[in-house]
Amino acid sequence: MATQLRQSQRRRQVLSRERIVAAAIELLDAAGEGALTVRALSERLATGSGAIYHHVGNMNELLQVAIDSVIADALAALPADGSGATRTPEEEIRAVALGLFDAVTKHPWLAAQLAVQLTRSPWGPVTVRVFESIGRPVRSLGVPQPDWFAATSALVHYILGATTQNAQTPHDGETPRNEVDRAEFLAAASKAWQDLDPDDYPFVTAIAEQMRNHDDRRQFLTGIGLVLRGITTSYSSAEARGTGRTI
């Protein structure tokens, strides 16, 4: 009896909330949101459902904690420029954007969840983390306070929208799972564009080869640059006119 009690106590000590969250993320990475069940988690952790519920309220709560954990880690490990110099606001925004982009690339299930967080849980920790990480450098760009939300929202919506589009979801027969599949997918799409009637689709046929050879990460950063130039140009022009606001 005493031995069983000690073994039970050791199991409770070893099984922590952090271990449960880590195991949940592993399941999500392997097969998506549908794989996160009490049974699968119990088998992975070699424990019972009661021990899991002792640390987390339910599977939905665990999913939310897993999302927040991944985002917190991504934003805490932003790539440095290597020089030790302080980043400019533009560099900080690009670093945050790439951190989120890479997090979704590593955890494809995260893409849909970020969209849900943004639209259904603006008060939640994930949305707040993302807005704070983007909003601080936006403020440093000289954007007037009445426009902080609009400018930050424009960046956040582009970043999350682009990362969602580029996410490669496992077990989706129409989505490329690796670089070879991606190359074949883009080649097929490019040929379909090239085969269109150039009189009806002059622009699409003209960019078909560019689409085949594009790099997702570079394209993503190009979009960030365009949004940032729009923000800085708009507000610097407004300041020169003495209005401090965009038109």
Side-chain angles (χ1 to χ4, degrees):
M1 182 69 175
T3 300
Q4 291 177 343
L5 180 59
R6 285 194 298 270
Q7 290 174 342
S8 177
Q9 289 173 338
R10 281 197 296 270
R11 282 196 297 269
R12 284 197 297 268
Q13 289 168 357
V14 172
L15 184 65
S16 65
R17 184 178 175 90
E18 290 72 22
R19 273 198 64 206
I20 294 173
V21 173
I25 292 171
E26 291 172 0
L27 288 171
L28 289 163
D29 288 346
E33 186 179 345
L36 185 58
T37 65
V38 176
R39 181 176 180 178
L41 201 56
S42 298
E43 291 177 353
R44 181 170 288 264
L45 293 168
T47 189
S49 59
I52 293 173
Y53 285 129
H54 176 73
H55 293 279
V56 296
N58 52 53
M59 288 299 100
N60 182 62
E61 177 184 326
L62 179 56
L63 175 61
Q64 303 309 310
V65 175
I67 297 166
D68 187 42
S69 176
V70 171
I71 294 300
D73 287 347
L75 297 180
L78 296 179
D81 61 9
S83 67
T86 302
R87 292 191 186 98
T88 65
E90 292 90 345
E91 290 169 341
E92 183 68 19
I93 289 168
R94 288 189 181 92
V96 171
L98 281 177
L100 294 171
F101 184 91
D102 291 342
V104 171
T105 300
K106 183 178 179 181
H107 308 282
W109 55 271
L110 185 61
Q113 292 301 323
L114 284 177
V116 170
Q117 293 293 317
L118 185 65
T119 56
R120 299 182 185 177
S121 184
W123 50 79
V126 172
T127 304
V128 171
R129 284 186 196 278
V130 173
F131 263 82
E132 187 68 22
S133 298
I134 297 294
R136 287 183 185 181
V138 163
R139 181 176 59 185
S140 299
L141 287 173
V143 176
Q145 185 171 358
D147 294 338
W148 284 355
F149 176 73
T152 302
S153 293
L155 276 162
V156 169
H157 281 90
Y158 170 77
I159 291 168
L160 297 188
T163 55
T164 298
Q165 182 179 346
N166 283 294
Q168 296 184 0
T169 306
H171 311 301
D172 182 343
E174 298 181 357
T175 305
R177 301 182 187 179
N178 53 51
E179 285 302 314
V180 174
D181 289 345
R182 178 182 181 277
E184 293 176 352
F185 179 84
L186 290 179
S190 175
K191 185 179 185 307
W193 283 15
Q194 288 172 333
D195 290 343
L196 293 171
D197 187 335
D199 291 331
D200 293 333
Y201 302 97
F203 178 76
V204 172
T205 53
I207 65 169
E209 192 62 25
Q210 295 177 26
M211 190 268 285
R212 177 205 297 263
N213 298 318
H214 84 277
D215 178 85
D216 290 338
R217 192 182 180 89
R218 187 175 302 150
Q219 177 183 322
F220 177 68
L221 286 175
T222 297
I224 295 291
L226 290 171
V227 178
L228 284 174
R229 279 197 295 276
I231 291 173
T232 54
T233 301
S234 295
Y235 289 108
S236 61
S237 299
E239 185 176 356
R241 292 194 303 269
T243 64
R245 298 293 301 277
T246 56
I247 296 176

